[in-house]
Structures are given as structure tokens and as C-alpha cells.
């Protein structure tokens, strides 16, 4: 629960995977995992708990803005890690345990991924974006 309002808390569930593993999947393997994840997404949607969710592109296409003033754009992610952030889900849960259960459902669909769960103390929704297919900009 949100400490400020007593309302259910929003949680970000961040999906991580070992670098290179997802890229090694065949199109059929990738489609199967995405279908399993879609069933979890559909359940959360039916429960009215799912907010924004996105699958991110590979880290090779990432860039970072850092430094003082206007900052400097640097190619690639900041952290040197074997795991990369694949995507995220925003879920509206009454308790931490409920958020953990949502992440467990995602893990059952993609058991080799790691799911980090973070409370979201401030959420400012914007205009909904259109659904895009993989690889489209």
C-alpha cells in the first residue's frame, strides 16, 4: 500500500536476461516465450492490474545521457553487466506479496529470466502509445 494515500501501490517489474541468450532463440522459441508471457499479461489485464509494458531493444542500440549541464550522449548502456534489461511491466498491487506473485507468473512463462520488483512512488501517465511490432521505430 502507498504510505501516502493508503491506496494500492504501483510496482515496476523489470525483466532481465543473460546477454546473448534471448538473441540465440530461434523465431519459434521467441514466439513461444512471448505467447506464454502474453497469457500472464492477459490475466493481469483482466484483473485490472496491468499498466504500461514494453519489450526493449538490444543493448547494442542503447545510449546513455550523463554528465553535468546538458550532458553527453554515450553509446551503449552505462553498466557493464552480463544481464540486460529486456523490458518492464507496471502493475497495480495491493501488497508487496501480490507484486511478487505477478513476477512469479512472469517467471513461470520465462523461467530463465530474472525479475526485479520496485515500488513506484510517483506515476505520471501520459498519452497511450500505439502498439508496435518488434523492430519498428
Amino acid at each position: 500500500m502507498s504510505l501516502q494515500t493508503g491506496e494500492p501501490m504501483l510496482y515496476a517489474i523489470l525483466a532481465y536476461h543473460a546477454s546473448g541468450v534471448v538473441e540465440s532463440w530461434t523465431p519459434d522459441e521467441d514466439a513461444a516465450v512471448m505467447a506464454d508471457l502474453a497469457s500472464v499479461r492477459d490475466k493481469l489485464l483482466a484483473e485490472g492490474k496491468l499498466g504500461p509494458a514494453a519489450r526493449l531493444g538490444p543493448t547494442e542500440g542503447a545510449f546513455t545521457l550523463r554528465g553535468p549541464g546538458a550532458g553527453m550522449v554515450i553509446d551503449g548502456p552505462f553498466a557493464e553487466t552480463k544481464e540486460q534489461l529486456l523490458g518492464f511491466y507496471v502493475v497495480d498491487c495491493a501488497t508487496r506479496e501480490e507484486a511478487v506473485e505477478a513476477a512469479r507468473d512472469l517467471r513461470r512463462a520465462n523461467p530463465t529470466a530474472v525479475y526485479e520488483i520496485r515500488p513506484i512512488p510517483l506515476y505520471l501517465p501520459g498519452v497511450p502509445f500505439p502498439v508496435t511490432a518488434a523492430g519498428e521505430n
Side-chain angles (χ1 to χ4, degrees):
M1 291 223 155
S2 169
L3 296 175
Q4 296 167 337
T5 65
E7 296 295 319
M9 175 63 89
L10 295 178
Y11 291 88
I13 301 176
L14 309 173
Y16 289 87
H17 216 299
S19 182
V21 171
V22 174
E23 291 86 6
S24 73
W25 292 343
T26 66
D28 288 343
E29 290 169 327
D30 186 72
V33 169
M34 293 308 290
D36 289 344
L37 290 170
S39 67
V40 176
R41 185 190 68 229
D42 291 346
K43 175 186 167 222
L44 290 168
L45 275 170
E47 294 170 349
K49 294 181 180 179
L50 184 64
R55 184 177 192 182
L56 302 176
T59 56
E60 292 81 19
F63 48 94
T64 302
L65 175 66
R66 59 180 293 117
M72 179 172 46
V73 176
I74 302 167
D75 287 340
F78 172 67
E80 289 292 326
T81 179
K82 292 182 181 184
E83 292 179 343
Q84 61 178 324
L85 179 61
L86 296 179
F88 65 88
Y89 301 83
V90 174
V91 294
D92 186 359
C93 297
T95 64
R96 173 188 165 146
E97 292 73 24
E98 193 176 332
V100 169
E101 188 54 39
R104 284 187 173 136
D105 286 344
L106 292 165
R107 184 163 170 80
R108 281 188 276 278
N110 188 0
T112 58
V114 174
Y115 293 92
E116 177 182 344
I117 305 160
R118 291 191 194 180
I120 300 175
L122 176 65
Y123 176 71
L124 303 171
V127 176
F129 291 110
V131 175
T132 61
E136 290 182 10
N137 290 325

